[in-house]
Amino acid sequence: MATCLTIDLGLIGYAEAYALQKRVVAARKADAVEDVLLLCEHPHVITLGRNGRREHLLASENVLRQKGVEFYETSRGGDITYHGPGQIVGYPILNLAAIRRDVVWYVRMLEEVMIRAAGDFGVVANREAGKTGAWVATRKNSPPSAQRAQSGTETAEKLGAIGVHISRWVTSHGFACNVSTDLRFFDLIVPCGIAGRQATSLEKLLGRRVDSREVAARLTQHFGQIFGLDTRAASQGGLFELLREVELTRSGAATVAQPILAVQERA
């Protein structure tokens, strides 16, 4: 079974995480590192996919500035989405050529990771035809137990989003699962470009506090099982050291190593 290194980056800025992804992707393409799963949370940020529509951003630059929300246009697929504290973001950097060369299958399997993780907490999440992500059927003004109904019986709300990029069969970007996310920030956008649909979170559905670390552990477990990978926890420092060695080897110069990213561990 192939190994996948899993690294918890804690709370990290979107730009820093994106820069790190690019470094890992370059190393993975060179077959200099194993598959990697980066897990993190971001400060408030809105990202627009390469096929997204700018009009799905409902807030002005001034409003975003007042609320402390950054905005980035990205290379991932999909439309517009929000990331923030209380949301587990997963960035798999996998060599799909060694797993399965099928982009649609890959997206479905990322959905399955979130669906199974939600199920571990008693939440029935499903897919929706023609849409990506993990969805939960909800009834307005109903208790959490009634909200956990089969998809299709009521209007579904989005629990997890997906947006990926694949180059030479190496993946980047990934999935985002709402745990204790402040859902009011989704009002700044048309989530994933789907009008009339709302986002939800595990805490909203369950009506109780949910430990993000426990959710991250479940996501990692199901990720390994679904993709047939032996997930092994690695340290941030170990990853950065490995990347520096790879970059030094490829460049042949000891002066090109990039500084270690400053990240903040979860409390």
Side-chain angles (χ1 to χ4, degrees), residues 31-265:
D31 204 25
V33 298
E34 299 167 294
D35 289 332
V36 173
L37 173 62
L38 303 173
L39 293 172
C40 66
E41 295 183 23
H42 291 310
H44 303 298
V45 62
I46 290 170
T47 67
L48 183 69
R50 62 181 179 272
N51 300 319
R53 298 169 60 182
R54 189 64 180 261
E55 57 264 35
H56 290 157
L57 175 63
L58 304 179
S60 66
E61 290 184 11
N62 186 50
V63 169
L64 293 181
R65 195 159 41 245
Q66 290 176 350
K67 292 183 176 293
V69 180
E70 294 185 313
F71 175 81
Y72 290 96
E73 295 184 355
T74 76
S75 62
R76 64 164 173 79
D79 203 285
I80 197 167
T81 195
Y82 159 80
H83 300 305
Q87 180 191 74
I88 302 296
V89 179
Y91 294 127
I93 293 107
L94 310 179
N95 178 16
L96 280 187
I99 300 173
R100 179 169 169 172
R101 298 183 184 223
D102 188 329
V103 176
V104 174
W105 173 85
Y106 175 61
V107 171
R108 297 288 88 83
M109 292 306 99
L110 291 182
E111 292 171 341
E112 189 66 21
V113 169
M114 292 189 287
I115 288 170
R116 292 189 189 181
D120 290 340
F121 293 87
V123 171
V124 178
N126 290 277
R127 297 179 179 85
E128 285 233 327
K131 302 178 179 66
T132 62
W135 300 79
V136 179
T138 60
R139 295 185 179 90
K140 291 184 178 180
N141 303 318
S142 63
S145 60
Q147 292 174 346
R148 299 193 292 275
Q150 289 293 334
S151 180
T153 60
E154 300 290 343
T155 299
E157 295 182 346
K158 198 164 194 176
L159 177 65
I162 293 173
V164 304
H165 179 76
I166 298 174
S167 173
R168 288 165 43 193
W169 291 109
V170 173
T171 68
S172 57
H173 298 281
F175 62 86
C177 182
N178 298 325
V179 180
S180 58
T181 321
D182 186 342
L183 300 174
R184 292 173 296 181
F185 282 88
F186 284 97
D187 293 338
L188 301 174
I189 63 175
V190 179
C192 299
I194 305 172
R197 293 299 187 97
Q198 296 180 328
T200 191
S201 69
L202 288 175
E203 288 199 349
K204 178 184 176 183
L205 293 164
L206 295 170
R208 63 172 176 84
R209 183 180 177 278
V210 180
D211 187 345
S212 290
R213 289 186 180 273
E214 186 177 353
V215 178
R218 298 286 184 159
L219 288 166
T220 301
Q221 176 188 5
H222 291 298
F223 181 86
Q225 292 172 347
I226 287 168
F227 288 102
L229 296 169
D230 179 16
T231 55
R232 298 184 183 180
S235 68
Q236 299 173 31
L239 175 64
F240 297 140
E241 182 61 32
L242 176 59
L243 291 175
R244 282 198 299 271
E245 290 177 0
V246 170
E247 291 159 357
L248 286 171
T249 299
R250 297 186 67 191
S251 67
T255 59
V256 300
Q258 299 184 26
I260 294 177
L261 297 178
V263 298
Q264 177 180 337
E265 296 283 358

